[in-house]
């Protein structure tokens, strides 16, 4: 329960925000955009350094996993992708699902980037969308046409985390969610079946 | 017979047959069973998916996937293996330049003068300075490319997309885009120009090359999806729709002013012009 003083502070903060002159608020939005852009730049540089660097596939996977853990809201994305089935799943199923989802995400990102020695990316502009910042980048992989990739960043000011990657207008989490939804619709909404399928997928990707 | 009323070339007749076959198949279509009404969330999901012909669509997906595995994918792989990247880029640019008449027509039907201007400048610059479209010089000069087809035009007119369709040979679509595909062939001057063996051969070469070029550009992405998706059909359905929505959204948001920068600018409502 909120303390009286906390309530007062909150109210004062809210009043201050409302009273902020337009220019200052624009500056604030600008600042969160700059922070999000810097965050994407730093994260992208780290990813590219690993992908283009030396080291075996296993080593690269390990390093990419570490970066993804630090920069992506994996649990949040996982819950989103399970959609309405998250609520009907048992706590045990939720736990196993999230652990597997983690590996699926790493595998998916590794195989999207891992094989591309010489990947390059350029950070473009950012824009605000609800509470999130969307940072545009162009990713160039050898042998492939350049791709426009947008990174959706939650909490750009306090604890920035990647919550979605939008490649050429297609959202990673929406696509993953419809994949799982369709799988569940054809497997009598059985979350265990989904978990088994994910397990096989992770095992076969090695 | 007046030259204007020449019959379309054989290529479009083939497409006509494909379209008829598709319609026939649709009339024999099986329907997806909706979930029981006492599960409102499942019903909402079913409606949001908007794929009432799913069983039939999946059959065509399997057929197309088979054709792709034995024909198109190996062709695209061979194309990538044999032809250097720079040359592939040039070929892609030439094909894209050949598509500008249809693009321009759609830009105008969409009521987007700046897009129509971009397309016109791209055609003029790339066909000349860009050596028959091989080099995309116009992009460097400030006339970037954009997507335009009659499916998008219909969307900008407010026509809804309708249920998902997976068409034989053509792949993911919906009634709006299927109609758009047909109208774009009719709009294409190359459909109506010329007769004879050479024209037919050129038409087929363009068609085959376009297919291989388009497939080569998504080789890695499609392999990736087929490897990682639990239900590739559902994943392609989602990707196709998202991609179309993004294209249509970009079209709707493109409201640049129509006065070119080099022209004396009009004073805005708050401007301090003379």
């Amino acid at each position: 329960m909120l303390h009286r003083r906390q309530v007062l502070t909150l109210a004062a903060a809210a009043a201050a925000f409302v009273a902020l002159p337009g220019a200052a608020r624009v500056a604030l939005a600008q600042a969160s955009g700059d922070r999000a852009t810097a965050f994407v730049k730093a994260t992208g540089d780290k990813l590219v350094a690993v992908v283009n660097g030396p080291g075996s596939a296993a080593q690269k996977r390990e390093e990419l996993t570490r970066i993804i853990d630090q920069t992506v809201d994996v649990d949040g994305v996982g819950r989103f992708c399970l959609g309405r089935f998250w609520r009907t799943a048992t706590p045990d199923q939720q736990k196993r699902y999230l652990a597997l989802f983690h590996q699926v995400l790493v595998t998916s990102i590794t195989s999207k980037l891992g094989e591309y020695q010489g990947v390059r990316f350029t950070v473009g502009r950012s824009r605000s969308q609800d509470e999130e910042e969307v940072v545009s980048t162009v990713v160039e992989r050898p042998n492939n046409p350049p791709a426009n990739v947008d990174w959706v960043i939650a909490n750009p000011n306090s604890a920035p985390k990647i919550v979605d990657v939008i490649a050429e207008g297609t959202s990673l989490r929406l696509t993953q969610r419809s994949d799982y939804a369709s799988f569940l619709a054809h497997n009598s909404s059985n979350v265990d079946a989904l978990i088994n399928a994910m397990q096989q997928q992770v095992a076969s990707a090695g | 017979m007046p030259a204007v009323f020449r019959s379309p070339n054989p290529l479009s007749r083939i497409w006509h047959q494909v379209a008829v076959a598709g319609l026939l198949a649709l009339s024999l279509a099986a329907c997806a069973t909706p979930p029981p009404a006492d599960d409102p969330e499942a019903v909402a999901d079913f409606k949001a998916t908007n794929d009432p012909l799913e069983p039939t669509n999946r059959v065509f997906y399997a057929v197309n996937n088979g054709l792709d595995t034995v024909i198109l994918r190996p062709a695209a792989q061979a194309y990538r293996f044999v032809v250097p990247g720079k040359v592939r880029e040039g070929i892609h640019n030439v094909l894209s330049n050949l598509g500008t008449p249809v693009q321009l027509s759609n830009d105008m039907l969409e009521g987007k003068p700046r897009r129509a201007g971009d397309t016109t400048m791209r055609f003029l610059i790339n066909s000349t300075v860009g050596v028959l479209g091989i080099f995309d010089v116009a992009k460097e000069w400030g006339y970037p490319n954009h997507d335009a087809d009659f499916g998008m035009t219909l969307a900008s007119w407010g026509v809804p997309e309708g249920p998902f369709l997976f068409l034989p040979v053509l792949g993911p679509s919906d009634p709006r885009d299927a109609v758009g595909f047909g109208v774009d062939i009719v709009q294409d001057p190359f459909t109506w120009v010329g007769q004879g063996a050479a024209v037919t051969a050129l038409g087929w070469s363009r068609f085959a090359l376009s297919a291989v070029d388009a497939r080569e550009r998504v080789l890695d992405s499609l392999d990736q999806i087929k490897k990682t998706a639990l239900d590739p059909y559902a994943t392609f359905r989602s990707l196709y729709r998202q991609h179309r929505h993004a294209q249509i959204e970009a079209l709707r948001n493109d409201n640049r002013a129509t006065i070119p920068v080099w022209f004396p600018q009009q004073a805005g409502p708050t401007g301090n012009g003379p």
Side-chain angles (χ1 to χ4, degrees):
Chain A
M1 208 170 141
L2 277 178
H3 236 265
R4 200 181 123 100
R5 205 194 301 168
Q6 276 176 313
V7 172
L8 283 177
T9 323
L10 264 178
F17 187 76
V18 171
L20 263 182
R25 234 183 297 170
V26 168
L28 209 64
Q30 186 92 49
S32 77
D34 289 347
R35 284 210 187 87
T37 311
F39 173 71
V40 168
K41 175 103 181 61
T43 309
D45 284 345
K46 272 191 260 178
L47 288 172
V48 169
V50 172
V51 171
N52 291 345
S56 66
Q59 275 175 326
K60 282 186 179 179
R61 188 186 158 96
E62 206 172 291
E63 284 183 60
L64 288 175
T65 310
R66 202 168 40 77
I67 298 172
I68 290 165
D69 282 344
Q70 286 169 356
T71 55
V72 182
D73 180 11
V74 181
D75 287 3
V77 177
R79 280 194 295 272
F80 177 87
C81 290
L82 200 52
R84 64 191 172 93
F85 300 99
W86 175 260
R87 275 178 287 117
T88 52
T90 66
D92 175 57
Q93 284 176 328
Q94 291 182 348
K95 218 177 105 192
R96 281 189 296 149
Y97 163 79
L98 279 185
L100 275 167
F101 184 79
H102 208 102
Q103 295 188 40
V104 168
L105 195 72
V106 171
T107 309
S108 143
I109 292 176
T110 316
S111 52
K112 272 199 185 86
L113 288 173
E115 299 149 17
Y116 296 105
Q117 281 265 332
V119 67
R120 289 196 306 155
F121 95 123
T122 350
V123 180
R125 308 170 57 136
S126 77
R127 60 176 194 277
S128 299
Q129 186 182 302
D130 303 326
E131 305 282 285
E132 293 156 347
E133 281 289 327
V134 184
V135 181
S136 308
T137 65
V138 176
V139 178
E140 287 170 76
R141 302 172 299 174
N143 260 332
N144 283 269
N148 295 313
V149 179
D150 287 356
W151 306 73
V152 184
I153 311 296
N155 314 314
N157 289 313
S158 45
K161 287 274 184 191
I162 298 167
V163 290
D164 196 8
V165 179
I166 301 170
E168 295 288 342
T170 57
S171 142
L172 186 90
R173 63 175 171 185
L174 271 180
T175 311
Q176 191 65 271
R177 184 173 156 131
S178 61
D179 185 27
Y180 289 170
S182 178
F183 181 89
L184 285 163
H186 290 95
N187 287 277
S188 49
S189 302
N190 183 354
V191 177
D192 276 328
L194 176 72
I195 289 173
N196 285 338
M198 287 168 79
Q199 215 139 30
Q200 278 174 13
Q201 201 185 20
V202 169
S204 68
Chain B
M1 194 161 91
V4 191
F5 291 108
R6 278 177 189 156
S7 65
N9 73 35
L11 190 56
S12 61
R13 251 176 269 142
I14 297 285
W15 283 126
H16 181 78
Q17 281 159 8
V18 168
V20 171
L23 286 176
L24 263 177
L26 286 180
S27 60
L28 303 171
C31 284
T33 329
D38 59 352
D39 190 349
E41 282 187 320
V43 173
D45 260 10
F46 182 78
K47 281 189 181 146
T49 308
N50 195 9
D51 190 1
L53 301 175
E54 186 171 335
T56 317
N57 284 340
R58 278 187 189 268
V59 171
F60 286 133
Y61 170 72
V63 171
N64 277 16
N65 198 21
L67 289 175
D68 179 68
T69 310
V70 295
I71 301 171
L72 200 49
R73 187 171 174 275
Q77 281 175 319
Y79 178 64
R80 175 178 284 187
F81 184 72
V82 173
V83 184
K86 289 277 174 221
V87 180
R88 293 202 306 265
E89 193 62 39
I91 291 174
H92 176 77
N93 289 341
V94 169
L95 292 168
S96 160
N97 196 45
L98 289 176
T100 37
V102 177
Q103 199 181 0
L104 176 63
S105 157
N106 283 309
D107 288 337
M108 293 195 286
L109 292 170
E110 286 156 7
K112 296 287 180 186
R114 286 299 293 272
R115 286 194 157 203
D118 280 353
T119 305
T120 310
M121 291 308 282
R122 285 181 61 76
F123 182 71
L124 294 177
I125 295 169
N126 286 347
S127 302
T128 54
V129 185
V131 196
L132 300 174
I134 296 173
F135 304 102
D136 190 353
V137 186
K139 189 179 167 191
E140 314 298 326
W141 291 7
Y143 301 102
N145 199 4
H146 59 261
D147 297 309
D149 56 59
F150 198 71
M152 286 166 72
T153 302
L154 287 174
S156 76
W157 292 351
V159 177
E161 64 179 351
F164 183 71
L165 293 178
F166 204 99
L167 300 178
V169 185
L170 300 181
S173 190
D174 54 54
R176 188 174 68 192
D177 289 340
V179 169
F181 179 81
V183 172
D184 280 338
I185 289 170
V186 175
Q187 285 191 82
D188 192 344
F190 294 109
T191 308
W192 307 97
V193 168
Q195 263 175 326
V199 172
T200 311
L202 278 176
W204 276 107
S205 310
R206 181 190 171 199
F207 163 68
L209 207 52
S210 299
V212 173
D213 166 65
R215 186 64 180 85
E216 190 276 331
R217 289 170 76 83
V218 293
L219 258 181
D220 294 4
S221 310
L222 288 200
D223 285 356
Q224 179 70 42
I225 293 162
K226 283 187 197 165
K227 205 167 70 186
T228 55
L230 295 179
D231 186 347
Y233 167 82
T235 301
F236 285 126
R237 180 174 64 199
S238 171
L239 286 171
Y240 176 73
R241 279 187 175 146
Q242 289 185 56
H243 183 62
R244 290 302 278 172
H245 291 174
Q247 285 177 315
I248 293 161
E249 200 56 29
L251 162 69
R252 288 206 174 115
N253 292 335
D254 190 352
N255 292 315
R256 289 170 290 166
T258 42
I259 306 169
V261 279
W262 46 264
F263 195 81
Q265 300 291 305
Q266 247 178 358
T270 55
N272 46 7

